Amino acid sequence: MDTTMHKKSMEIQTPLEFNFKECLVILNRSGQENLHQICDEQITKLLKLESELILFKISHANQLLRIEFLNGEPSCEGKNAVENHVIEWFDLKTDLAPFYEMANSDPVLKSVVERYAGLRMMCIPDLFEALSWAVMGQQINLTFAYTLKKRFVETYGESIPFQNNTYWAFPACEKIAMLSVDELRELQFTTRKAEYIIEIAAKMAKENLVKEQLIHDLSEIEIEQTLLALRGIGPWSANYVMMKCFHVVTAFPQADVGLHNALKKQMGLNRKPTSMELELLAETWSGWQAYATFYLWRTLYD
């Protein structure tokens, strides 16, 4: 991945199979999103490091993502962190050519990949954020999940003001580990969800759950087993986090309601797909189940 760095900006080359506008559709799906802001096809985001808050703006032209630092020049470590975050966020390292080759001969996916060509998995690079979001979204609609996240971020996250806007970073696990269940209950978290998020935060604060260490030491199956061992993380949540945080293209959240609705629409069904149908589709999409799911989710925002 070629990156050019300057004092207050950097440029990251994007793959040929990259459609920034399609990525923005996913990022702009809720008016309650407060971890980034989108205006005039540009994204502004705040990234929290140990000793830095870095506000940056992303635009795209001529196969380059341009990143402009808005609140001063970051440290070298800060620039590297932003570069790595953006590459992960837009899943720029995944070669989509084999996925398109498979999808173009698949009756369910063919028209979908043609319509949204260049869409990338919009990932969640931070493991605590990915796990927390997976827990928040369990058994509620997406609108209320975003409401919970907004309250959570604006109560416990750090922020900076810039040009009449306030930009927020996701709360640190160390801060959430110190909370009581009642404090999250005040934000309308259920008791169980509050317990799960605080327990996950405590494990991460004690460095008993470190993304880089998991990737280095464990196979994908072992990572999944590690996630499933966490209280509050079942098969759907584990596969969601594998997709969005660990870039596992074979992850398949088979029980996902959004996937079922997209398949009903795409396959012309008047019912949700059966377990057998989902298993057959997973076999057909073998090696690319996560991207097949993500592209089908995109059909829900037309």
Side-chain angles (χ1 to χ4, degrees):
M1 193 69 57
D2 292 335
T3 301
T4 304
M5 291 198 185
H6 307 285
K7 279 193 172 184
K8 290 195 175 181
S9 67
M10 70 170 67
E11 291 177 338
I12 300 173
Q13 187 170 7
T14 56
L16 289 175
E17 302 94 354
F18 182 76
N19 188 326
F20 188 61
K21 290 182 180 180
E22 278 299 330
C23 295
L24 292 181
V25 172
I26 301 296
L27 293 176
N28 211 19
R29 65 181 180 169
S30 172
Q32 296 189 85
E33 177 61 69
N34 62 354
L35 290 174
H36 58 261
Q37 295 184 25
I38 297 174
C39 182
D40 297 330
E41 296 188 2
Q42 298 180 95
I43 310 166
T44 305
K45 183 170 180 63
L46 181 65
L47 189 64
K48 171 72 168 73
L49 304 181
E50 286 185 11
S51 58
E52 288 182 273
L53 281 168
I54 304 172
L55 186 67
F56 58 94
K57 181 167 64 179
I58 305 173
S59 56
H60 185 257
N62 303 318
Q63 293 300 124
L64 292 171
L65 283 174
R66 178 176 171 79
I67 299 165
E68 180 184 353
F69 301 114
L70 301 178
N71 63 329
E73 183 183 357
S75 66
C76 288
E77 293 82 0
K79 288 180 181 178
N80 288 334
V82 170
E83 178 190 11
N84 292 334
H85 185 91
V86 171
I87 288 170
E88 270 211 71
W89 194 14
F90 289 90
D91 197 31
L92 296 181
K93 289 186 177 180
T94 298
D95 179 9
L96 290 185
F99 168 63
Y100 288 142
E101 185 178 352
M102 178 277 292
N104 281 325
S105 61
D106 181 82
V108 176
L109 295 178
K110 181 175 171 57
S111 64
V112 178
V113 296
E114 287 174 354
R115 204 179 321 155
Y116 310 121
L119 173 64
R120 294 253 151 191
M121 180 84 65
M122 293 312 306
C123 295
I124 306 174
D126 180 74
L127 180 56
F128 179 55
E129 181 185 338
L131 287 166
S132 298
W133 180 230
V135 170
M136 286 181 208
Q138 292 168 2
Q139 298 179 325
I140 58 175
N141 63 48
L142 194 61
T143 300
F144 188 55
Y146 270 106
T147 298
L148 286 181
K149 186 175 84 164
K150 187 173 190 293
R151 292 171 182 166
F152 185 72
V153 169
E154 294 182 6
T155 304
Y156 299 110
E158 291 191 52
S159 66
I160 62 171
F162 184 80
Q163 294 183 349
N164 300 318
N165 283 312
T166 301
Y167 296 91
W168 294 91
F170 199 78
C173 59
E174 293 84 0
K175 187 166 188 176
I176 303 306
M178 303 300 292
L179 299 180
S180 68
V181 168
D182 286 344
E183 286 173 294
L184 288 186
R185 290 276 294 147
E186 289 176 7
L187 305 182
Q188 284 192 284
F189 281 73
T190 64
T191 298
R192 286 284 180 258
K193 286 186 181 182
E195 289 174 351
Y196 299 154
I197 289 174
I198 291 168
E199 285 181 21
I200 290 167
K203 281 182 180 291
M204 297 196 69
K206 293 174 184 174
E207 297 191 346
N208 292 331
L209 190 67
V210 179
K211 177 181 174 181
E212 292 74 19
Q213 191 174 353
L214 293 176
I215 292 170
H216 183 268
D217 294 344
L218 303 181
S219 67
E220 291 178 355
I221 291 173
E222 290 169 329
I223 292 173
E224 183 178 6
Q225 291 169 342
T226 299
L227 297 178
L228 287 169
L230 299 171
R231 240 177 34 109
I233 301 298
W236 175 85
S237 299
N239 276 275
Y240 181 83
V241 173
M242 295 284 282
M243 285 174 64
K244 301 280 271 182
C245 189
F246 289 94
H247 307 272
V248 176
V249 293
T250 56
F252 188 49
Q254 187 169 319
D256 185 78
V257 174
L259 173 63
H260 298 169
N261 289 336
L263 284 170
K264 281 174 64 178
K265 178 180 175 183
Q266 194 63 20
M267 297 169 71
L269 302 175
N270 58 6
R271 52 166 177 83
K272 77 174 189 177
T274 65
S275 295
M276 178 69 75
E277 286 170 327
L278 288 163
E279 286 167 13
L280 289 172
L281 286 169
E283 285 181 22
T284 304
W285 303 334
S286 181
W288 290 101
Q289 295 94 318
Y291 257 92
T293 299
F294 192 69
Y295 267 67
L296 285 163
W297 282 344
R298 171 63 183 88
T299 67
L300 300 174
Y301 301 104
D302 284 343

